[in-house]
Amino acid sequence: NNPPRHLTFKRMRLFRMFQLTVVVVLLAYVCASDPPSAPDAPKLPKVDTSRGTVCKCLEEWPEEVRPDWKTFCGAWECAIKRPKVKCFPGRSLVRRVEGGLIKEVTMADIMIGDKILYTTEEGEVDHTDVVDFLHRETDAGPVDYLAIYTKGAELIVSAEHRVWLPTSKEYVFAKDLTTGSTIEVVVNDKATQETVSAISSVRHEGMYAPLTASGRLIVDGVSVSSYAHFGSQSAAHTAFAPLRGWKLVKEKLGMVSHPPKGVHTYAKTLTTVAKWLGVAVN
């Protein structure tokens, strides 16, 4: 006897569902499997994409030997994209207060909480706290800097950092200094005025930008700002007030401050916004 018609129809539906399930499983397996590599295709080099590495392809593989759609380059040229905020190399010298004495140390040696020397607008030498670092990369380099020479000083500084002009009582970008410009040089803890005799390009290791409570410091014997890129010293100092205030809060709470690795997040964000608003240079 033949089975009832409704049972035959039910069996057919189950069989079709089984077929569909097998097809779906096979398709999933094929999609999940690695595509076969092209014969004799060279292996791609591993590219370090950390710390803003930028790479460009020098030699593309032809389509017939590409192992898959993601990899098509046979030779790379890579370079680390350095952030523009850099300010000073690790070899630059600052004057740190140690137990009532003044000791000259390298930029790489200073830490958050240290007291270092700076000059006021009136040319008086005083000390100020290192609140944080706007940029700190100990292993960066070699990095491009300007070397500003006077009779008694050699300042190594990034082009967009601000240097104090005592005659006009203003900060200017280091790149805007020329031979004949008058800058403030501290000799034997006394501020004097000296003329820039030469400017050259140099390369040194490390990138450091200490933020002080006063927004000023003495580097390589020259009076400079804590800030770069900003068109106004007062605007920059006001903009970074929350970062200085946060340091005081952490001290009250007994929290330990650690220097950033690279550009400080607050500094990076603030500088980006300031450039967008047109109050900072690139």
Side-chain angles (χ1 to χ4, degrees):
N1 294 330
N2 294 329
R5 186 173 181 180
H6 70 278
L7 291 178
T8 303
F9 180 75
K10 188 175 181 180
R11 289 173 183 172
M12 289 293 295
R13 285 185 60 189
L14 290 173
F15 182 72
R16 291 287 175 85
M17 290 178 63
F18 175 76
Q19 285 181 315
L20 182 61
T21 302
V22 170
V23 171
V24 171
V25 170
L26 288 175
L27 285 175
Y29 176 79
V30 170
C31 292
S33 301
D34 291 328
S37 299
D40 302 321
K43 291 184 178 180
L44 278 176
K46 290 184 178 180
V47 179
D48 179 16
T49 56
S50 64
R51 299 174 61 195
T53 303
V54 177
C55 300
K56 64 179 180 179
C57 184
L58 300 180
E59 180 184 346
E60 291 190 4
W61 294 344
E63 290 188 11
E64 59 270 17
V65 298
R66 293 182 185 180
D68 58 57
W69 66 273
K70 292 181 181 179
T71 53
F72 55 87
C73 191
W76 295 94
E77 181 178 78
C78 298
I80 294 177
K81 183 180 179 182
R82 297 293 185 187
K84 296 231 176 174
V85 182
K86 45 191 177 185
C87 299
F88 309 102
R91 56 152 278 177
S92 290
L93 298 175
V94 294
R95 300 175 187 184
R96 184 169 62 192
V97 180
E98 296 183 3
L101 300 176
I102 307 300
K103 183 178 180 181
E104 200 166 52
V105 298
T106 65
M107 188 69 68
D109 290 329
I110 63 172
M111 298 298 295
I112 295 173
D114 285 350
K115 296 183 181 298
I116 60 177
L117 296 189
Y118 79 103
T119 58
T120 65
E121 284 193 17
E122 293 72 32
E124 299 294 327
V125 178
D126 203 346
H127 61 76
T128 183
D129 291 339
V130 176
V131 175
D132 211 325
F133 283 85
L134 304 181
H135 192 176
R136 191 173 189 271
E137 282 194 58
T138 59
D139 58 349
V143 180
D144 294 322
Y145 290 99
L146 293 178
I148 314 295
Y149 300 94
T150 69
K151 179 181 178 181
E154 177 190 343
L155 171 66
I156 309 299
V157 62
S158 59
E160 292 82 13
H161 202 82
R162 303 185 69 80
V163 180
W164 179 246
L165 297 185
T167 51
S168 56
K169 291 190 178 298
E170 64 176 340
Y171 284 95
V172 299
F173 296 117
K175 65 182 181 181
D176 294 331
L177 292 173
T178 61
T179 54
S181 296
T182 301
I183 61 177
E184 190 168 73
V185 177
V186 179
V187 180
N188 297 325
D189 297 332
K190 184 177 180 181
T192 61
Q193 297 181 12
E194 292 192 5
T195 302
V196 174
S197 57
I199 301 174
S200 65
S201 297
V202 294
R203 307 196 80 194
H204 290 292
E205 305 286 329
M207 294 187 279
Y208 297 82
L211 173 64
T212 66
S214 65
R216 304 160 176 257
L217 66 160
I218 299 170
V219 178
D220 294 329
V222 177
S223 298
V224 298
S225 169
S226 286
Y227 311 113
H229 297 289
F230 277 81
S232 165
Q233 171 74 9
S234 59
H237 198 56
T238 301
F240 281 96
L243 193 55
R244 298 193 303 275
W246 174 236
K247 194 251 185 184
L248 297 177
V249 172
K250 288 195 291 184
E251 285 182 349
K252 292 290 184 181
L253 297 176
M255 298 170 63
V256 178
S257 296
H258 299 284
K261 294 181 179 180
V263 180
H264 197 291
T265 303
Y266 183 88
K268 185 187 300 184
T269 304
L270 187 62
T271 303
T272 300
V273 173
K275 289 177 181 178
W276 182 74
L277 294 174
V279 295
V281 299
N282 291 320

